[in-house]
Amino acid sequence: MDEAAAAEAVQLIDGEGEFAADSAERFMAAAGVAGCGLSYAVVSIMGPQSSGKSTLLNQLFGTNFREMDAFRGRSQTTKGIWIARCVGVEPCTVVMDLEGTDGRERGEDDTAFEKQSSLFALAISDIVLINMWCHDIGREQAANKPLLKTVFQVMMRLFSPRKTTLLFVIRDKTRTPLEHLEPVLREDIQKIWNSVAKPEAHKDTPISEFFNVQVTALPSFEEKEEQFREQVQQLRQRFSNSIAPGGLAGDRRGVVPASGFLFSSQQIWKVIRENKDLDLPAHKEWMELESDVQSGPVPGFGKKLGYIVDVHMQEYDKEAIYFDEAVRTAKRQLLKSRVLNLVQPAFQKMLAHLRTRALEKYKTELNLTLESGKGFAAAVRDTTESNLNEFDQGCADAVIEQADWDYSKILEKVRRDVEDHTLSIREGKLSELTNHAKEKLRKALVEPVESLFDAAGPSTWASIRNLFKRETEAILPEFQKNLAGFEMESATSEGMVSKLRDYARSIVENKAKEEAGKVLIHMKESHDKDSIPRVWTGKEDVRAIAKDARSAALKLLSVLAAIRWDEKPDKIEKILTSTLLDGSVTPKSKGASASSDPLASTTWEEVSPKYTLITPSQCKSLWKQFKAETEFAITQAVSTQQAHKRGNGRLPPPWAMVAIAVLGFNEIMTLLRNPIYLFLLFVGYLLVKALAVQLDINREFQNGVVPGIISVTAKLIPTLQNILNKVATEQQQQQGHHQDAAAEAPQQQQQPQPQPPPLLLSPRSPMSELRRPLHMPFSPVRKAVSPSPSSSSSTVTSPRNAGEDQKPRQMVQPDNESNNAYSIV
């Protein structure tokens, strides 16, 4: 694009009001505007004649509009409307320079072109600069007053104009600060706006609905040219990215693509030149309204649509005033019918949007009301009433006076939408409450019932009934209280509580069925816990213990045989005990076996079949299987007891003891007469006792006499050597203690090689380890002994180790009993 050619001004509309289409097309091609799509802005300027409009545009946008020659006097320079493209500003900005107002060339009364050009600028421009003198602010008879009135008057002729930015540029600013000038200017603007006659639809509309008013000020170009240029460059920055959100361009609704800008401008100017009431045709406004209603509800839809219909009908009345009244009236009715048929789809679309918005708002408000803790029924009632009233009001506002459209059907549809959503939410809330109560019942019953079955006894079902009553009386009233907020009928509420109580019963019954399916496992666990495993001696009555264990298992079987919801006693335990445990019921003959056996049945007496978990015949089969699987454990226990008795029968019989006393009388007297023999016998006893403790005789003989003898024989010599090593080590420690007390200081400085302590081994140590310390020579090294008064363990360290880190080496500690034996030896 040639920037010089783009900045060159071209006349768009000449002084006679003719649209220069050819020159405008050449400009659009040379300036490259046609390819900008929607990314372009249109800026126009209006103001009094000879107020420096063209000079401002040239300085601000780098254009080449013709400027007034001050040396030739003040006269009209710009005639008609000129157009150019701004240089160096993005997005593409098209600038229009309008002919000045109140010029003497057109005369005092010729304001037609002034109004037409103002309307044209407002119709196609995003930003309108209003050039005005600083000294006119606050004056009642100022040059800008007619201009503002013109702008506001022509704006009223537009039905629904887009919001245009009015940038007031105060020229030749004085010393008065802008913050003082701007309020006065805005007050003048508001007074002019209030004085302009407006259509009924916009009678109370504020100016902010039509215009985005902004104010700036510039110094005198002739007196302060340098300062003027600097502030103009600052103002230029505000036009960068003017169409972006929050930019200077403001509302961009209805903007045509750049490729159609020239054609659209030509059509708008054509309509304006015809001087009709609809300078921008109502059809265009109708198209905009129809487009807006497709995307959502349009505020004031009824008033806007009614205004469009009125404009068309008034236009018809003006043109048909001279026709026959009857014909005129008939045609008017036909026209009205067609117009209403044309706009009714937009009305239906508006109602559809209102319906959707009403339902969404109802959903949101209902959720908020329920979250606040209000009862469901009350929340639904209040929310439904407010939303339906609002929807009804919205429909009434969408209806136009010219039509008697009925929206009762759409109101019924909204009511059904609300009811359907309410029903869905109600079911969800009730389901949530029910599931919450079920979860509480499940947690309160499952584990406690399982524990009661694990410790089954005569009072198991009584405890289960008490647990069931306690938990249901705690949970169900709370559930019923929550149902009160739904304001449902008493029968419905009681039915839901009853179903919840049945659910609690099913939890217990299902748990009972589950445990009944594992009854054999529970019986065996109970039997093993009461009888086996244990260490059997010769004093227990294994058969009696086994009988008690089987009795406990039989009680568990009787507990799980049936569900007992009432306190009525039954004979299940008695029948099982008498038949299976005592064996009192035995068939007398083959023919009478079936009739005389109480367990030859599939039902229990006085127990309903639906509450039967294990039938009598199943109990009999389970008991046989139970006895078969536990008999081996009892037999093994008896065998173990007998072996224990044989292993512990070491004492000779009484007659043998009497014989030993009689025959060995002389030997006993010899020991009594010679105390040395008695002392030696005592020492030998201690030695044997130490050996017995060290060898753990009792544990060795638990596996049998022969294996015990073999094991003790193999460990006897190593154990004896270990005891002797222990005695020798203690003697060495005592000698080292005496030597350490008598040693001199120089001897304390010596650092002999450390002597490893004697190695004490357990009786189970291998012979190689047992022999090693016996062949190690003892070194005459002084040893420090630190015996502990509270322990039988002793410590042995070398002098060097004691002097360096004071970390004594711990010796192997035998158990207390063997220590005592060693000490006595």
Side-chain angles (χ1 to χ4, degrees), residues 527-537 540-542 545 637 640:
H527 180 270
D528 294 343
K529 180 178 65 177
D530 293 339
S531 60
I532 301 168
R534 65 168 64 182
V535 178
W536 297 104
T537 64
E540 296 88 351
D541 187 352
V542 177
I545 294 174
T640 304

Side-chain angles (χ1 to χ4, degrees), residues 94 364 742 798:
V94 177
T364 303
S798 68

Side-chain angles (χ1 to χ4, degrees), residues 543-612:
R543 294 296 177 182
I545 294 174
K547 184 176 181 180
D548 293 341
R550 287 182 173 180
S551 177
L554 194 63
K555 289 181 179 179
L556 175 61
L557 180 61
S558 66
V559 169
L560 292 173
I563 298 174
R564 300 166 176 87
W565 281 117
D566 50 25
E567 300 179 2
K568 184 179 179 180
D570 55 61
K571 301 177 181 179
I572 297 178
E573 183 178 356
K574 182 178 179 181
I575 293 174
L576 291 177
T577 303
S578 61
T579 306
L580 302 178
L581 191 62
D582 298 339
S584 58
V585 179
T586 56
K588 295 181 179 180
S589 62
K590 293 183 179 180
S593 60
S595 60
S596 61
D597 187 359
L599 298 181
S601 175
T602 57
T603 58
W604 296 102
E605 186 179 354
E606 299 178 351
V607 176
S608 173
K610 67 177 182 179
Y611 291 147
T612 300

Side-chain angles (χ1 to χ4, degrees), residues 9-15 43 57 64-66 77-84 95-99:
V10 175
Q11 192 171 43
L12 182 65
I13 299 173
D14 61 20
V43 180
L57 292 180
N64 192 19
F65 292 109
R66 182 184 175 188
T77 304
T78 303
K79 293 183 179 181
I81 301 176
W82 292 70
I83 187 171
V95 184
M96 293 195 307
D97 188 8
L98 273 65
E99 180 179 318

Side-chain angles (χ1 to χ4, degrees), residues 160-380:
S160 180
R162 55 185 175 140
K163 193 172 183 178
T164 306
T165 298
L166 294 183
L167 179 58
F168 287 84
V169 181
I170 302 174
R171 302 294 297 273
D172 295 356
K173 176 181 171 296
T174 60
R175 294 182 180 180
T176 305
L178 179 62
E179 54 266 24
H180 294 164
L181 294 173
E182 185 174 350
V184 178
L185 176 60
R186 288 184 178 274
E187 184 178 355
D188 291 344
I189 295 172
Q190 187 63 46
K191 288 181 179 179
I192 297 172
W193 174 260
N194 295 336
S195 64
V196 172
K198 307 178 188 65
E200 188 66 26
H202 300 294
K203 187 175 182 180
D204 299 324
T205 305
I207 189 175
S208 58
E209 291 291 325
F210 290 92
F211 301 106
N212 176 24
V213 179
Q214 298 193 26
V215 180
T216 188
L218 296 173
S220 172
F221 176 71
E222 296 179 352
E223 297 177 2
K224 302 177 181 179
E225 182 177 352
E226 204 56 39
Q227 186 178 357
F228 176 85
R229 294 181 184 275
E230 291 178 2
Q231 294 189 16
V232 165
Q233 290 303 314
Q234 295 176 5
L235 179 61
R236 175 186 174 90
Q237 300 300 321
R238 299 175 64 179
F239 289 88
S240 297
N241 298 319
S242 59
I243 65 173
L248 193 60
D251 190 2
R252 297 277 295 168
R253 290 181 303 170
V255 176
V256 297
S259 58
F261 171 75
L262 191 60
F263 177 76
S264 175
S265 301
Q266 187 175 6
Q267 295 301 313
I268 291 174
W269 179 250
K270 180 180 178 181
V271 174
I272 292 175
R273 285 286 290 172
E274 291 177 356
N275 196 23
K276 293 185 177 180
D277 288 340
L278 290 180
D279 293 276
L280 283 182
H283 178 69
K284 179 181 178 181
E285 303 306 323
W286 156 244
M287 296 298 292
E288 292 180 0
L289 181 63
E290 187 180 31
S291 176
D292 293 341
V293 82
Q294 299 302 318
S295 58
V298 177
F301 177 84
K303 290 183 178 180
K304 295 178 179 179
L305 186 58
Y307 181 77
I308 293 175
V309 174
D310 276 344
V311 167
H312 279 84
M313 301 310 298
Q314 290 174 9
E315 185 68 21
Y316 170 81
D317 291 339
K318 289 180 180 179
E319 295 182 3
I321 189 172
Y322 299 107
F323 289 87
D324 181 73
E325 183 176 358
V327 176
R328 185 175 69 243
T329 303
K331 293 296 183 180
R332 192 180 193 281
Q333 293 296 328
L334 180 60
L335 175 63
K336 181 179 178 181
S337 176
R338 290 180 178 179
V339 169
L340 295 180
N341 290 336
L342 177 67
V343 301
Q344 190 174 23
F347 170 74
Q348 295 296 334
K349 191 67 176 180
M350 179 68 181
L351 295 185
H353 287 310
L354 292 176
R355 175 185 177 183
T356 303
R357 186 176 67 178
L359 182 58
E360 293 300 323
K361 187 176 181 181
Y362 172 77
K363 293 178 180 179
T364 303
E365 291 184 358
L366 180 61
N367 289 336
L368 294 176
T369 307
L370 292 176
E371 290 175 0
S372 66
K374 198 170 186 178
F376 183 83
V380 169

Side-chain angles (χ1 to χ4, degrees), residues 69-134:
D69 188 353
F71 295 100
R72 294 184 179 181
R74 305 178 69 86
S75 61
Q76 186 181 49
T77 304
T78 303
K79 293 183 179 181
I81 301 176
W82 292 70
I83 187 171
R85 175 173 176 173
C86 175
V87 177
V89 175
E90 291 296 334
C92 172
T93 302
V94 177
V95 184
M96 293 195 307
D97 188 8
L98 273 65
E99 180 179 318
T101 61
D102 65 10
R104 62 181 178 83
E105 286 79 5
R106 289 195 177 269
E108 184 178 352
D109 299 326
D110 188 5
T111 60
F113 185 82
E114 178 181 313
K115 292 181 180 180
Q116 291 171 354
S117 60
S118 299
L119 179 59
F120 178 75
L122 290 172
I124 67 173
S125 300
D126 299 296
I127 304 167
V128 177
L129 304 179
I130 298 181
N131 206 42
M132 61 182 303
W133 301 112
C134 179

Side-chain angles (χ1 to χ4, degrees), residues 393-687:
Q393 183 62 41
C395 291
D397 292 341
V399 174
I400 61 176
E401 298 178 356
Q402 296 86 347
D404 55 350
W405 290 330
D406 183 16
Y407 56 86
S408 59
K409 292 183 178 180
I410 195 72
L411 182 60
E412 287 300 319
K413 290 182 179 180
V414 173
R415 195 182 301 276
R416 285 197 300 269
D417 292 341
V418 169
E419 291 175 355
D420 292 343
H421 179 71
T422 302
L423 182 60
S424 174
I425 295 297
R426 183 177 184 272
E427 292 178 353
K429 292 293 182 182
L430 289 176
S431 177
E432 182 181 346
L433 288 176
T434 304
N435 292 336
H436 180 66
K438 286 182 177 180
E439 182 65 18
K440 292 178 68 176
L441 287 171
R442 191 185 64 80
K443 290 182 178 180
L445 293 175
V446 171
E447 293 185 1
V449 168
E450 184 176 356
S451 300
L452 289 173
F453 280 132
D454 289 341
S459 61
T460 298
W461 279 105
S463 301
I464 290 176
R465 289 193 295 269
N466 291 335
L467 172 68
F468 176 82
K469 182 179 179 181
R470 182 175 67 252
E471 297 300 335
T472 53
E473 289 180 352
I475 297 174
L476 296 185
E478 180 184 357
F479 174 74
Q480 194 167 16
K481 180 180 178 182
N482 292 331
L483 292 181
F486 291 85
E487 298 181 6
M488 60 178 61
E489 295 181 359
S490 177
T492 305
S493 175
E494 291 295 333
M496 295 183 66
V497 173
S498 178
K499 289 181 180 179
L500 203 57
R501 185 178 289 104
D502 292 341
Y503 173 78
R505 291 170 68 95
S506 69
I507 291 176
V508 177
E509 292 175 359
N510 291 336
K511 195 62 185 175
K513 292 177 182 178
E514 179 184 344
E515 298 299 322
K518 301 183 293 184
V519 65
L520 184 59
I521 299 175
H522 292 323
M523 290 169 65
K524 290 169 63 178
E525 290 175 351
S526 174
H527 180 270
D528 294 343
K529 180 178 65 177
D530 293 339
S531 60
I532 301 168
R534 65 168 64 182
V535 178
W536 297 104
T537 64
K539 300 178 182 180
E540 296 88 351
D541 187 352
V542 177
R543 294 296 177 182
I545 294 174
K547 184 176 181 180
D548 293 341
R550 287 182 173 180
S551 177
L554 194 63
K555 289 181 179 179
L556 175 61
L557 180 61
S558 66
V559 169
L560 292 173
I563 298 174
R564 300 166 176 87
W565 281 117
D566 50 25
E567 300 179 2
K568 184 179 179 180
D570 55 61
K571 301 177 181 179
I572 297 178
E573 183 178 356
K574 182 178 179 181
I575 293 174
L576 291 177
T577 303
S578 61
T579 306
L580 302 178
L581 191 62
D582 298 339
S584 58
V585 179
T586 56
K588 295 181 179 180
S589 62
K590 293 183 179 180
S593 60
S595 60
S596 61
D597 187 359
L599 298 181
S601 175
T602 57
T603 58
W604 296 102
E605 186 179 354
E606 299 178 351
V607 176
S608 173
K610 67 177 182 179
Y611 291 147
T612 300
L613 300 177
I614 306 174
T615 64
S617 58
Q618 290 173 343
C619 287
K620 188 174 182 179
S621 300
L622 287 170
W623 185 254
K624 288 180 181 180
Q625 185 178 353
F626 170 72
K627 288 182 65 177
E629 294 181 5
T630 58
E631 189 65 33
F632 173 75
I634 298 173
T635 304
Q636 188 179 24
V638 172
S639 301
T640 304
Q641 189 183 48
Q642 292 175 355
H644 188 274
K645 288 180 179 180
R646 288 193 299 270
N648 289 339
R650 299 175 181 176
L651 293 177
W655 61 269
M657 296 177 65
V658 173
I660 291 173
V662 173
L663 296 177
F665 178 77
N666 293 331
E667 287 76 7
I668 295 174
M669 295 305 296
T670 301
L671 290 175
L672 294 176
R673 293 190 184 98
N674 297 279
I676 296 175
Y677 293 156
L678 187 61
F679 175 73
L680 292 176
L681 183 63
F682 179 69
V683 172
Y685 167 76
L686 292 179
L687 182 60

